[in-house]
């Protein structure tokens, strides 16, 4: 999965922004910024991310309303996978995603999660949702035009979402199926995920892009906060 080699900033439903480290990445209200946040509470050049030998550093550029990481104000902060950067009303997730090449055996042990009797591929991409949220997983797989199944083991139980060339085509949870099931999986807050490549969906119940899926999931989250 070559698309996973570069750290990225996620601000769904926008496309992820790669953090290459070749130069500072600017975040702010100005159109010249690499990640533009067109909000009145955002400074024109609000913050930057640059690379050092020790990793990637987020630095506030003297913004009017400050830069926050995981709810705390920062001037400089060494970024870790899963860090949430808050600038005005936007929450940006920083992820350094490294696929693990190991057996899926033991990832999901409940008998109900067995998909079929066929052999399971050795190569999987998996991790914790607290570090790599479901929306980031889906956007990365969409960028890589991957076909397979994303399995989510969360507080709500185990769910499955199938992709074809990066497009969601079917989803199942214990109580739901199709688009509604996919929304539930996107909004899963904690737990684990595992992507199994080349798994074929048993049916097609979703006619929507990843972007449309994330927009609807975000709308529902906003309504629940009211």
């Amino acid at each position: 999965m070559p698309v996973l080699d570069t750290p990225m900033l996620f601000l769904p439903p926008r496309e992820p922004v790669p953090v290459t480290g070749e130069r500072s990445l600017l975040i702010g209200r100005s159109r010249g910024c690499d990640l533009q946040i067109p909000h009145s509470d955002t400074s024109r050049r609000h913050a930057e991310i640059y690379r050092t030998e020790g990793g990637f550093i987020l630095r506030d550029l003297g913004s009017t309303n400050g830069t926050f990481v995981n709810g705390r104000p920062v001037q400089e902060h060494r970024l870790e996978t899963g860090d949430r950067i808050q600038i005005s009303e936007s929450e940006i997730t920083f992820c350094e995603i490294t696929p693990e090449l190991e057996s899926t055996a033991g990832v999901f042990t409940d008998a109900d999660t067995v998909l079929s009797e066929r052999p399971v591929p050795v190569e999987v991409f998996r991790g914790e949702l607290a570090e790599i949220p479901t929306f980031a997983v889906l956007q990365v797989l969409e960028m890589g035009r991957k076909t397979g199944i994303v399995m989510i083991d969360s507080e709500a139980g185990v769910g499955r979402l199938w992709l074809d060339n990066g497009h969601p085509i079917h989803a199942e949870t214990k109580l739901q199926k199709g688009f509604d099931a996919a929304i539930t999986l996107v909004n899963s807050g904690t737990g684990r995920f595992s992507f199994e490549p080349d798994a074929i969906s048993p049916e097609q119940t979703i006619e929507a892009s990843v972007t449309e899926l994330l927009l609807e999931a975000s709308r529902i989250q906003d309504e629940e906060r009211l």
Side-chain angles (χ1 to χ4, degrees):
M1 293 184 182
V3 298
L4 304 182
D5 295 343
T6 302
M8 286 181 276
L9 299 178
F10 293 87
L11 182 58
R14 301 192 203 179
E15 291 186 3
V17 177
V19 185
T20 64
E22 296 174 358
R23 60 179 179 81
S24 293
L25 184 149
L26 291 174
I27 305 172
R29 195 176 73 250
S30 171
R31 292 184 179 179
C33 289
D34 301 285
L35 179 54
Q36 186 190 19
I37 302 177
H39 192 277
S40 59
D41 288 341
T42 305
S43 297
R44 290 181 58 79
R45 290 166 55 92
H46 197 105
E48 67 174 348
I49 297 174
Y50 61 94
R51 189 173 191 169
T52 68
E53 290 184 0
F56 289 89
I57 305 296
L58 170 71
R59 180 170 66 184
D60 184 87
L61 296 176
S63 65
T64 302
N65 294 300
T67 300
F68 299 78
V69 177
N70 302 326
R72 298 183 178 181
V74 299
Q75 291 300 315
E76 285 195 353
H77 174 83
R78 184 182 181 277
L79 290 167
E80 302 285 349
T81 293
D83 276 349
R84 269 63 167 180
I85 304 166
Q86 291 95 27
I87 293 179
S88 65
E89 296 182 352
S90 298
E91 182 176 272
I92 306 157
T93 303
F94 174 84
C95 290
E96 289 188 89
I97 306 174
T98 303
E100 296 183 68
L101 303 180
E102 51 188 88
S103 172
T104 56
V107 177
F108 300 100
T109 57
D110 193 306
D112 291 338
T113 67
V114 177
L115 296 179
S116 68
E117 297 300 324
R118 61 184 171 75
V120 176
V122 173
E123 294 187 3
V124 297
F125 162 39
R126 70 188 191 186
E128 299 290 330
L129 295 177
E131 295 184 346
I132 307 173
T134 307
F135 62 76
V137 174
L138 294 181
Q139 287 190 302
V140 165
L141 296 174
E142 180 187 41
M143 290 173 63
R145 300 180 64 83
K146 298 299 179 181
T147 295
I149 181 174
V150 179
M151 297 184 67
I152 303 292
D153 187 359
S154 70
E155 66 277 3
V158 175
R160 311 170 183 86
L161 195 157
W162 282 262
L163 301 172
D164 181 25
N165 288 318
H167 301 293
I169 58 172
H170 180 55
E172 297 177 359
T173 63
K174 185 176 181 180
L175 300 176
Q176 296 171 306
K177 193 174 184 179
F179 190 79
D180 290 342
I183 294 295
T184 296
L185 294 177
V186 169
N187 286 336
S188 299
T190 59
R192 298 170 294 164
F193 72 87
S194 177
F195 173 71
E196 176 189 322
D198 302 323
I200 303 301
S201 173
E203 57 183 310
Q204 180 165 355
T205 57
I206 299 174
E207 296 285 349
S209 66
V210 167
T211 297
E212 291 169 331
L213 187 60
L214 299 186
L215 278 170
E216 181 62 13
S218 178
R219 184 190 67 78
I220 291 174
Q221 282 190 330
D222 289 342
E223 288 182 351
E224 291 176 349
R225 294 190 189 104
L226 297 177

